[in-house]
């Protein structure tokens, strides 16, 4: 009898061990193409090696994982397709889902990082719908801003806030902030959105706004794609001008330059006739750059020489400003411009002016892109670094970086311009310095070869180390970190809320894994009843 009991116990234990083994195997299996290819999509699904490789590269071209992580590329034909992909990703075993707009990220943020699917949002969806009387436009999340502009201009309307480059997706810029020279006046693009449709990480479609699901609305704006995929955005419009008077003036002294920039953005509450419509600037540490970058402002037959302008520390600063107008008030524009310029303290002989259609001004960077593409200089590495620097430390930054670390050498434009914090909604996920005025400093450099890439990458590290050691409290724009602690430090007081929103709207952490903020829920993770 005792022998039979022992035999029965052995059988039970063996059965239990086999069950555990089966469960372990089931939980560690990777997602297969079967689940991805057979979820009934209207759009396209591709597993071609060349297409998997193509989506593994972004504008930065700093890394590529290719087929190692991307199992398939989905081109949705509808909102329902996006929902189906996300819901399929939540089944066990789960897989990562990355929404890709125009692929203009720098550090692989649009990559899946783990095994998963890239959803190309810009394919197969109808264009913008303009509501002329209501003064807004409904836009698919993958739509490019250039196409939004073209659609709204047919009604004589345009969005208020822009980025310098228009071949970016709406969902992509709204997931970061969307900034340019209009930000001082209208705020970033995320401050000019009325409503969003979002597919959360749980596959739920939620419409959100200030009044409806407001917690998700504010979390998604500047949320780096962590809480949901933006499938529709309702964007505020205003009457569009016809033309732009585009002006550049030079400074040899940084204090004077920054004082004038800060004065100009302080006019944001004034009537249009008493302020400029766009305020940016750039740093010139390389004499060739001023004569070749972005436009033909400076005549090749009469190039500007840094040495002839008594540049402080061998560095010049260019203030870039514009005045929008209609043909009917062209005469008054010159008077308004002269009145504003008299209040500035630039080098008197350095005023350069041109006049262009409004659309041409907004799309100005695309012309430079076409030139670079024709020379094979577009699809190269771009180790960009974008920083928000507090106003109180911007002169220290000038001395330590522009006149120090850079050593009168660069490999691309360096933008610098201030913004007003009160134009940013503190409820969004974006993190900015805790001062009323802060600067964007953007190092938009390019690397033709591995040696240059290594040099610029090391220089970026030096800049970040200098900021850290000087306790400048800068914040990265388009942030990139590789450790959880760095992300927690980046978000600061916002981290607790950010983490809570992630757990609420994407508990399996399948979305935007390329940002490297949250660890993907691995198939070996223990399943609870709530997961079933």
């Amino acid at each position: 009898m005792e022998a039979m009991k022992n035999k029965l116990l052995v059988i039970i234990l063996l059965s239990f061990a086999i069950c555990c083994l089966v469960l372990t195997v089931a939980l560690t299996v990777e997602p297969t193409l079967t689940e991805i290819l057979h979820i009934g999509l209207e759009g396209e699904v591709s597993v071609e090696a060349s297409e998997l490789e193509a989506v593994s590269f972004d504008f930065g071209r700093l890394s590529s994982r290719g087929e190692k992580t991307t199992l398939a590329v989905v081109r949705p034909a509808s909102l329902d397709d996006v929902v189906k992909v996300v819901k399929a990703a939540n089944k066990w075993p789960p897989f990562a889902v990355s929404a890709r707009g125009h692929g203009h990220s720098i550090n692989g943020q649009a990559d899946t990082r783990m095994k998963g699917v890239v959803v190309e949002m810009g394919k197969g969806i109808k264009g913008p719908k303009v509501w002329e009387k209501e003064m807004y436009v409904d836009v698919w999340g993958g739509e490019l801003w250039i196409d939004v502009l073209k659609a709204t201009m047919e009604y004589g309307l345009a969005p208020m806030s822009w980025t310098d480059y228009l071949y970016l997706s709406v969902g992509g810029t709204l997931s970061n902030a969307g900034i340019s020279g209009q930000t001082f006046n209208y705020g970033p693009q995320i401050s000019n959105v009325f409503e969003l449709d979002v597919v959360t990480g749980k596959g739920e479609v939620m419409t959100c706004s200030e009044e409806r699901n407001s917690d998700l609305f504010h979390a998604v704006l500047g949320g780096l794609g962590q809480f949901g995929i933006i499938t529709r955005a309702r964007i505020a419009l205003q009457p569009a001008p016809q033309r732009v008077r585009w002006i550049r003036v030079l400074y040899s002294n940084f204090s004077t330059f920054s004082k004038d920039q800060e004065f100009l953005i302080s006019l944001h509450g004034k009537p249009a006739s008493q302020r400029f419509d766009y305020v940016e600037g750039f740093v010139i540490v390389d004499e060739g750059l001023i004569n070749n970058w972005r436009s033909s402002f400076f005549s090749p037959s009469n190039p500007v020489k840094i040495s002839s302008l008594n540049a402080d520390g061998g560095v010049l600063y260019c203030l870039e400003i514009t005045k929008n107008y209609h043909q009917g008030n062209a005469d008054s524009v010159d008077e308004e411009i002269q009145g504003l310029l008299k209040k500035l303290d630039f080098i008197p002989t350095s005023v350069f002016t041109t006049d262009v259609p409004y659309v041409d001004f907004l799309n100005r960077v695309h012309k430079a892109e076409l030139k670079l593409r024709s020379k094979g200089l577009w699809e190269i590495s771009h180790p960009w670094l974008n920083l928000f620097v507090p106003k109180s430390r911007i002169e220290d930054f000038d001395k330590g970086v522009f006149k120090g670390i850079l050593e009168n050498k660069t490999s691309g434009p360096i933008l610098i311009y201030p913004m007003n914090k009160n134009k940013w909604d503190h409820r969004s996920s974006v993190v900015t310095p805790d001062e009323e005025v802060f600067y964007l400093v953007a190092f938009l450099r390019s690397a033709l070869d591995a040696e240059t890439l290594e040099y610029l990458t090391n220089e970026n590290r030096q800049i970040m180390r200098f900021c850290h050691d000087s306790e400048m409290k800068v914040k990265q724009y388009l942030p990139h970190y590789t450790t959880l602690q760095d992300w927690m430090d980046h978000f600061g007081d916002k981290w607790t809320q950010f983490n809570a929103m992630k757990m609420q709207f994407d508990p399996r952490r399948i979305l935007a894994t390329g940002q490297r903020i949250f660890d993907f829920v691995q198939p070996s993770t223990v399943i609870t009843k709530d997961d079933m």
Side-chain angles (χ1 to χ4, degrees):
M1 191 69 177
E2 190 66 28
M4 289 185 65
K5 286 182 179 180
N6 290 337
K7 188 174 182 181
L8 182 60
L9 180 61
V10 170
I11 293 172
I12 292 172
L13 290 173
L14 284 172
S15 298
F16 179 74
I18 292 170
C19 288
C20 289
L21 179 61
V22 170
L23 181 60
T24 301
V25 171
L27 292 178
T28 55
V29 68
E30 289 187 339
T32 66
L33 290 178
T34 304
E35 289 92 343
I36 299 168
L37 295 175
H38 297 88
I39 55 178
L41 301 180
E42 299 174 56
E44 303 174 14
V45 180
S46 175
V47 294
E48 291 292 329
S50 59
E51 297 199 34
L52 301 184
E53 180 69 16
V55 299
S56 72
F57 283 104
D58 59 13
F59 180 70
R61 299 184 80 84
L62 302 180
S63 63
S64 170
R65 296 180 185 85
E67 297 174 69
K68 297 178 183 177
T69 59
T70 306
L71 298 173
V73 178
V74 173
R75 299 185 180 90
S78 63
L79 166 63
D80 191 48
D81 276 357
V82 179
V83 172
K84 287 179 179 178
V85 171
V86 176
K87 284 186 174 180
N90 274 277
K91 295 178 181 179
W92 212 262
F95 55 85
V97 176
S98 176
R100 177 184 171 94
H102 196 53
H104 208 75
S105 56
I106 302 300
N107 293 286
Q109 288 93 334
D111 193 359
T112 57
R113 188 185 173 199
M114 302 298 178
K115 294 289 186 181
V117 171
V118 171
V119 180
E120 285 204 306
M121 292 293 292
K123 306 292 184 181
I125 308 298
K126 61 183 180 181
K129 181 177 181 180
V130 179
W131 301 80
E132 186 176 8
K133 292 182 180 179
E134 293 82 358
M135 300 285 283
Y136 57 69
V137 57
D138 282 326
V139 184
W140 172 253
E143 197 73 65
L144 300 184
W145 283 102
I146 181 64
D147 296 319
V148 177
L149 177 62
K150 290 176 181 177
T152 59
M153 285 298 289
E154 292 182 10
Y155 297 84
L157 302 172
M160 302 173 185
S161 191
W162 294 96
T163 57
D164 286 336
Y165 180 58
L166 301 188
Y167 287 76
L168 304 173
S169 69
V170 170
T173 65
L174 296 184
S175 294
N176 288 282
I179 57 176
S180 185
Q182 303 90 358
T183 303
F184 82 95
N185 194 37
Y186 295 110
Q189 290 181 319
I190 58 173
S191 294
N192 296 276
V193 179
F194 291 142
E195 190 175 86
L196 299 172
D197 283 344
V198 176
V199 178
T200 71
K202 295 189 287 189
E204 300 171 337
V205 181
M206 297 181 69
T207 299
C208 53
S209 65
E210 284 274 5
E211 297 77 26
R212 185 178 179 187
N213 299 313
S214 60
D215 55 345
L216 179 62
F217 180 70
H218 295 300
V220 167
L221 293 172
L224 306 177
Q226 292 302 307
F227 316 111
I229 298 173
I230 297 172
T231 55
R232 179 184 65 91
R234 178 165 287 179
I235 299 161
L237 301 176
Q238 66 178 355
Q242 293 175 325
R243 298 193 66 81
V244 172
R245 195 67 54 82
W246 187 4
I247 305 156
R248 286 179 177 173
V249 295
L250 298 176
Y251 294 77
S252 59
N253 180 275
F254 183 78
S255 295
T256 306
F257 168 72
S258 59
K259 178 174 69 71
D260 279 0
Q261 279 197 322
E262 289 166 18
F263 164 71
L264 291 177
I265 72 163
S266 74
L267 305 177
H268 63 89
K270 300 287 186 181
S273 61
Q274 298 176 32
R275 59 171 168 78
F276 284 110
D277 295 289
Y278 165 101
V279 176
E280 281 199 16
F282 54 93
V283 182
I284 305 158
V285 298
D286 182 339
E287 196 162 277
L289 192 62
I290 192 172
N291 297 299
N292 294 315
W293 181 57
R294 289 181 89 171
S295 78
S296 56
F297 262 79
F298 313 112
S299 170
S301 61
N302 186 28
V304 174
K305 295 288 186 182
I306 292 180
S307 57
S308 67
L309 295 172
N310 298 316
D312 181 15
V315 180
L316 281 175
Y317 311 92
C318 180
L319 172 64
E320 187 172 39
I321 44 185
T322 71
K323 192 75 172 172
N324 300 338
Y325 71 97
H326 291 273
Q327 295 287 9
N329 68 333
D331 293 338
S332 64
V333 169
D334 287 334
E335 185 178 342
E336 293 172 8
I337 290 173
Q338 289 307 312
L340 286 166
L341 290 180
K342 286 179 182 178
K343 299 177 181 179
L344 306 180
D345 195 17
F346 52 85
I347 298 171
T349 58
S350 70
V351 182
F352 301 88
T353 304
T354 189
D355 197 282
V356 294
Y358 180 62
V359 172
D360 286 2
F361 171 74
L362 292 180
N363 201 29
R364 61 199 179 281
V365 176
H366 184 55
K367 293 183 178 179
E369 175 191 352
L370 295 177
K371 290 180 181 178
L372 291 172
R373 283 188 181 279
S374 68
K375 298 177 181 178
L377 298 176
W378 184 257
E379 293 182 345
I380 59 177
S381 297
H382 297 96
W384 286 10
L385 178 64
N386 295 270
L387 302 174
F388 288 146
V389 182
K391 168 190 169 181
S392 64
R393 303 302 303 275
I394 195 65
E395 290 204 28
D396 296 330
F397 193 94
D398 168 63
K399 293 173 185 175
V401 178
F402 302 148
K403 298 188 179 88
I405 293 173
L406 298 187
E407 298 179 335
N408 298 102
K409 291 183 291 184
T410 187
S411 297
I414 304 170
L415 301 185
I416 178 170
Y417 57 91
M419 289 171 275
N420 298 305
K421 191 178 181 70
N422 62 10
K423 296 294 182 178
W424 295 65
D425 192 324
H426 68 89
R427 295 169 296 180
S428 77
S429 292
V430 178
V431 182
T432 61
D434 192 21
E435 292 190 9
E436 288 307 308
V437 171
F438 59 90
Y439 281 75
L440 170 77
V441 182
F443 299 87
L444 310 182
R445 281 99 67 85
S446 303
L448 284 171
D449 52 47
E451 183 179 354
T452 304
L453 176 60
E454 182 179 5
Y455 176 83
L456 294 176
T457 300
N458 286 333
E459 197 167 73
N460 286 345
R461 293 194 190 101
Q462 290 180 54
I463 293 169
M464 292 305 298
R465 192 179 306 116
F466 169 77
C467 293
H468 177 270
D469 293 346
S470 303
E471 299 182 346
M472 281 193 180
K473 297 182 179 180
V474 303
K475 293 295 182 181
Q476 282 193 36
Y477 177 59
L478 311 178
H480 171 64
Y481 299 101
T482 56
T483 71
L484 178 60
Q485 186 59 54
D486 284 340
W487 279 113
M488 293 174 69
D489 292 342
H490 170 77
F491 283 106
D493 293 341
K494 287 191 176 184
W495 172 255
T496 300
Q497 176 70 4
F498 193 86
N499 184 59
M501 290 294 99
K502 184 67 171 181
M503 297 307 102
Q504 180 178 348
F505 295 109
D506 183 25
R508 291 195 188 277
R509 305 190 285 277
I510 64 170
L511 296 179
T513 56
Q515 292 282 3
R516 296 172 174 263
I517 303 176
F518 298 96
D519 285 336
F520 177 64
V521 177
Q522 299 293 346
S524 58
T525 302
V526 175
I527 306 174
T528 67
K529 290 182 179 179
D530 294 333
D531 293 322
M532 302 302 287

